[in-house]
PDB file of all heavy atoms in Angstrom:
ATOM      1  N   PHE A  63     107.367 103.725 115.243  1.00 78.00           N
ATOM      2  CA  PHE A  63     108.646 103.978 114.619  1.00 78.00           C
ATOM      3  C   PHE A  63     109.551 104.590 115.611  1.00 78.00           C
ATOM      4  O   PHE A  63     109.310 105.577 116.110  1.00 78.00           O
ATOM      5  CB  PHE A  63     108.517 104.840 113.391  1.00 78.00           C
ATOM      6  CG  PHE A  63     108.169 104.048 112.115  1.00 78.00           C
ATOM      7  CD1 PHE A  63     106.867 103.914 111.662  1.00 78.00           C
ATOM      8  CD2 PHE A  63     109.264 103.385 111.436  1.00 78.00           C
ATOM      9  CE1 PHE A  63     106.527 103.220 110.560  1.00 78.00           C
ATOM     10  CE2 PHE A  63     108.911 102.614 110.331  1.00 78.00           C
ATOM     11  CZ  PHE A  63     107.608 102.515 109.879  1.00 78.00           C
ATOM     12  N   ASP A  95      95.618  96.378 108.672  1.00 98.00           N
ATOM     13  CA  ASP A  95      96.225  97.715 108.847  1.00 98.00           C
ATOM     14  C   ASP A  95      95.613  98.601 107.772  1.00 98.00           C
ATOM     15  O   ASP A  95      94.924  98.120 106.803  1.00 98.00           O
ATOM     16  CB  ASP A  95      97.679  97.706 108.716  1.00 98.00           C
ATOM     17  CG  ASP A  95      98.361  98.908 109.427  1.00 98.00           C
ATOM     18  OD1 ASP A  95      97.603  99.848 109.900  1.00 98.00           O
ATOM     19  OD2 ASP A  95      99.618  98.964 109.501  1.00 98.00           O
ATOM     20  N   ASP A  96      95.727  99.934 107.905  1.00 98.00           N
ATOM     21  CA  ASP A  96      95.206 100.856 106.905  1.00 98.00           C
ATOM     22  C   ASP A  96      95.951 100.866 105.626  1.00 98.00           C
ATOM     23  O   ASP A  96      95.469 100.884 104.551  1.00 98.00           O
ATOM     24  CB  ASP A  96      94.983 102.224 107.551  1.00 98.00           C
ATOM     25  CG  ASP A  96      96.231 102.801 108.279  1.00 98.00           C
ATOM     26  OD1 ASP A  96      97.286 102.126 108.256  1.00 98.00           O
ATOM     27  OD2 ASP A  96      96.048 103.916 108.806  1.00 98.00           O
ATOM     28  N   VAL A  97      97.356 100.888 105.799  1.00 97.00           N
ATOM     29  CA  VAL A  97      98.197 100.946 104.603  1.00 97.00           C
ATOM     30  C   VAL A  97      99.510 100.213 104.821  1.00 97.00           C
ATOM     31  O   VAL A  97     100.143 100.242 105.833  1.00 97.00           O
ATOM     32  CB  VAL A  97      98.469 102.508 104.183  1.00 97.00           C
ATOM     33  CG1 VAL A  97      98.993 103.243 105.375  1.00 97.00           C
ATOM     34  CG2 VAL A  97      99.346 102.597 102.892  1.00 97.00           C
ATOM     35  N   ALA A  98      99.902  99.473 103.703  1.00 97.00           N
ATOM     36  CA  ALA A  98     101.279  99.084 103.656  1.00 97.00           C
ATOM     37  C   ALA A  98     102.031 100.006 102.717  1.00 97.00           C
ATOM     38  O   ALA A  98     101.858 100.095 101.617  1.00 97.00           O
ATOM     39  CB  ALA A  98     101.302  97.655 103.054  1.00 97.00           C
ATOM     40  N   ASP A  99     102.925 100.809 103.379  1.00 96.00           N
ATOM     41  CA  ASP A  99     103.615 101.794 102.583  1.00 96.00           C
ATOM     42  C   ASP A  99     105.003 101.346 102.235  1.00 96.00           C
ATOM     43  O   ASP A  99     105.235 100.677 101.273  1.00 96.00           O
ATOM     44  CB  ASP A  99     103.674 103.186 103.408  1.00 96.00           C
ATOM     45  CG  ASP A  99     104.234 104.322 102.551  1.00 96.00           C
ATOM     46  OD1 ASP A  99     105.250 104.123 101.898  1.00 96.00           O
ATOM     47  OD2 ASP A  99     103.725 105.465 102.633  1.00 96.00           O
ATOM     48  N   THR A 100     105.994 101.460 103.242  1.00 94.00           N
ATOM     49  CA  THR A 100     107.249 100.793 103.052  1.00 94.00           C
ATOM     50  C   THR A 100     107.040  99.219 103.421  1.00 94.00           C
ATOM     51  O   THR A 100     107.863  98.441 102.999  1.00 94.00           O
ATOM     52  CB  THR A 100     108.295 101.311 104.097  1.00 94.00           C
ATOM     53  OG1 THR A 100     107.893 100.995 105.432  1.00 94.00           O
ATOM     54  CG2 THR A 100     108.486 102.740 103.933  1.00 94.00           C
ATOM     55  N   GLY A 101     106.053  98.986 104.061  1.00 95.00           N
ATOM     56  CA  GLY A 101     105.697  97.596 104.536  1.00 95.00           C
ATOM     57  C   GLY A 101     106.538  97.199 105.806  1.00 95.00           C
ATOM     58  O   GLY A 101     106.433  95.975 106.194  1.00 95.00           O
ATOM     59  N   ARG A 102     107.279  98.074 106.361  1.00 94.00           N
ATOM     60  CA  ARG A 102     108.079  97.695 107.491  1.00 94.00           C
ATOM     61  C   ARG A 102     107.308  97.295 108.690  1.00 94.00           C
ATOM     62  O   ARG A 102     107.642  96.423 109.415  1.00 94.00           O
ATOM     63  CB  ARG A 102     109.119  98.731 107.803  1.00 94.00           C
ATOM     64  CG  ARG A 102     110.224  98.811 106.821  1.00 94.00           C
ATOM     65  CD  ARG A 102     111.385  99.778 107.175  1.00 94.00           C
ATOM     66  NE  ARG A 102     110.774 101.166 107.217  1.00 94.00           N
ATOM     67  CZ  ARG A 102     111.578 102.229 107.582  1.00 94.00           C
ATOM     68  NH1 ARG A 102     112.769 102.069 108.053  1.00 94.00           N
ATOM     69  NH2 ARG A 102     111.086 103.415 107.634  1.00 94.00           N
ATOM     70  N   THR A 103     106.214  98.096 108.864  1.00 94.00           N
ATOM     71  CA  THR A 103     105.334  97.787 110.101  1.00 94.00           C
ATOM     72  C   THR A 103     104.757  96.402 109.937  1.00 94.00           C
ATOM     73  O   THR A 103     104.762  95.610 110.924  1.00 94.00           O
ATOM     74  CB  THR A 103     104.178  98.797 110.145  1.00 94.00           C
ATOM     75  OG1 THR A 103     104.787 100.116 110.255  1.00 94.00           O
ATOM     76  CG2 THR A 103     103.285  98.498 111.334  1.00 94.00           C
ATOM     77  N   LYS A 126     101.140 100.256  98.748  1.00 98.00           N
ATOM     78  CA  LYS A 126     101.918 100.922  97.842  1.00 98.00           C
ATOM     79  C   LYS A 126     102.927 100.083  97.161  1.00 98.00           C
ATOM     80  O   LYS A 126     103.304  99.041  97.673  1.00 98.00           O
ATOM     81  CB  LYS A 126     102.622 102.130  98.540  1.00 98.00           C
ATOM     82  CG  LYS A 126     101.535 103.091  99.178  1.00 98.00           C
ATOM     83  CD  LYS A 126     102.121 104.361  99.631  1.00 98.00           C
ATOM     84  CE  LYS A 126     101.042 105.249 100.311  1.00 98.00           C
ATOM     85  NZ  LYS A 126     101.582 106.462 100.808  1.00 98.00           N
ATOM     86  N   ARG A 142     100.301 107.167  95.930  1.00 97.00           N
ATOM     87  CA  ARG A 142     100.033 108.578  96.431  1.00 97.00           C
ATOM     88  C   ARG A 142      99.973 108.544  97.904  1.00 97.00           C
ATOM     89  O   ARG A 142      99.823 107.552  98.596  1.00 97.00           O
ATOM     90  CB  ARG A 142      98.680 109.092  95.932  1.00 97.00           C
ATOM     91  CG  ARG A 142      98.673 109.255  94.442  1.00 97.00           C
ATOM     92  CD  ARG A 142      97.253 109.607  93.988  1.00 97.00           C
ATOM     93  NE  ARG A 142      97.245 109.980  92.555  1.00 97.00           N
ATOM     94  CZ  ARG A 142      96.153 110.261  91.819  1.00 97.00           C
ATOM     95  NH1 ARG A 142      94.977 110.196  92.469  1.00 97.00           N
ATOM     96  NH2 ARG A 142      96.316 110.547  90.576  1.00 97.00           N
ATOM     97  N   TRP A 143     100.097 109.765  98.506  1.00 97.00           N
ATOM     98  CA  TRP A 143      99.797 109.991  99.904  1.00 97.00           C
ATOM     99  C   TRP A 143      98.404 109.916 100.180  1.00 97.00           C
ATOM    100  O   TRP A 143      97.549 110.326  99.446  1.00 97.00           O
ATOM    101  CB  TRP A 143     100.438 111.361 100.437  1.00 97.00           C
ATOM    102  CG  TRP A 143     100.222 111.376 101.918  1.00 97.00           C
ATOM    103  CD1 TRP A 143      99.263 112.141 102.558  1.00 97.00           C
ATOM    104  CD2 TRP A 143     101.031 110.758 102.932  1.00 97.00           C
ATOM    105  NE1 TRP A 143      99.422 112.027 103.928  1.00 97.00           N
ATOM    106  CE2 TRP A 143     100.474 111.114 104.115  1.00 97.00           C
ATOM    107  CE3 TRP A 143     102.124 109.852 102.878  1.00 97.00           C
ATOM    108  CZ2 TRP A 143     101.001 110.748 105.357  1.00 97.00           C
ATOM    109  CZ3 TRP A 143     102.643 109.510 104.064  1.00 97.00           C
ATOM    110  CH2 TRP A 143     102.103 109.810 105.340  1.00 97.00           C
ATOM    111  N   ILE A 144      98.045 109.186 101.204  1.00 97.00           N
ATOM    112  CA  ILE A 144      96.587 108.868 101.514  1.00 97.00           C
ATOM    113  C   ILE A 144      96.121 109.737 102.658  1.00 97.00           C
ATOM    114  O   ILE A 144      96.811 109.757 103.635  1.00 97.00           O
ATOM    115  CB  ILE A 144      96.342 107.429 101.860  1.00 97.00           C
ATOM    116  CG1 ILE A 144      96.814 106.518 100.733  1.00 97.00           C
ATOM    117  CG2 ILE A 144      94.883 107.081 102.116  1.00 97.00           C
ATOM    118  CD1 ILE A 144      97.448 105.183 101.230  1.00 97.00           C
ATOM    119  N   PHE A 146      93.517 109.706 105.406  1.00 97.00           N
ATOM    120  CA  PHE A 146      92.589 108.780 106.106  1.00 97.00           C
ATOM    121  C   PHE A 146      91.564 109.705 106.849  1.00 97.00           C
ATOM    122  O   PHE A 146      92.042 110.688 107.475  1.00 97.00           O
ATOM    123  CB  PHE A 146      93.226 107.823 106.988  1.00 97.00           C
ATOM    124  CG  PHE A 146      93.990 106.744 106.231  1.00 97.00           C
ATOM    125  CD1 PHE A 146      95.387 106.836 106.154  1.00 97.00           C
ATOM    126  CD2 PHE A 146      93.350 105.716 105.644  1.00 97.00           C
ATOM    127  CE1 PHE A 146      96.160 105.879 105.472  1.00 97.00           C
ATOM    128  CE2 PHE A 146      94.023 104.720 104.985  1.00 97.00           C
ATOM    129  CZ  PHE A 146      95.447 104.847 104.853  1.00 97.00           C
TER     130      PHE A 146
HETATM  131  P1  LIG B   1     104.884 101.410 106.659  1.00 67.42           P
HETATM  132  O1  LIG B   1     105.805 102.312 106.000  1.00 67.42           O
HETATM  133  O2  LIG B   1     105.579 100.685 107.830  1.00 67.42           O
HETATM  134  O3  LIG B   1     104.197 100.450 105.788  1.00 67.42           O
HETATM  135  O4  LIG B   1     103.726 102.349 107.241  1.00 67.42           O
HETATM  136  C1  LIG B   1     103.899 103.014 108.477  1.00 67.42           C
HETATM  137  C2  LIG B   1     102.742 103.853 108.843  1.00 67.42           C
HETATM  138  O5  LIG B   1     102.970 105.173 108.232  1.00 67.42           O
HETATM  139  C3  LIG B   1     101.402 103.433 108.416  1.00 67.42           C
HETATM  140  O6  LIG B   1     100.797 102.598 109.307  1.00 67.42           O
HETATM  141  C4  LIG B   1     100.656 104.864 108.481  1.00 67.42           C
HETATM  142  O7  LIG B   1     100.276 105.196 109.819  1.00 67.42           O
HETATM  143  C5  LIG B   1     101.779 105.797 108.063  1.00 67.42           C
HETATM  144  N1  LIG B   1     101.585 105.998 106.587  1.00 67.42           N
HETATM  145  C6  LIG B   1     102.264 105.481 105.509  1.00 67.42           C
HETATM  146  N2  LIG B   1     101.785 105.863 104.334  1.00 67.42           N
HETATM  147  C7  LIG B   1     100.864 106.784 104.584  1.00 67.42           C
HETATM  148  C8  LIG B   1      99.883 107.577 103.735  1.00 67.42           C
HETATM  149  O8  LIG B   1      99.840 107.504 102.639  1.00 67.42           O
HETATM  150  N3  LIG B   1      98.952 108.336 104.478  1.00 67.42           N
HETATM  151  C9  LIG B   1      98.911 108.354 105.812  1.00 67.42           C
HETATM  152  N4  LIG B   1      97.977 109.145 106.342  1.00 67.42           N
HETATM  153  N5  LIG B   1      99.730 107.574 106.671  1.00 67.42           N
HETATM  154  C10 LIG B   1     100.650 106.873 105.966  1.00 67.42           C
END
Side-chain angles (χ1 to χ4, degrees):
F63 272 97
D95 206 354
D96 48 4
V97 53
D99 187 318
T100 65
R102 287 187 295 176
T103 302
K126 298 194 184 179
R142 294 173 174 173
W143 184 258
I144 305 147
F146 289 103

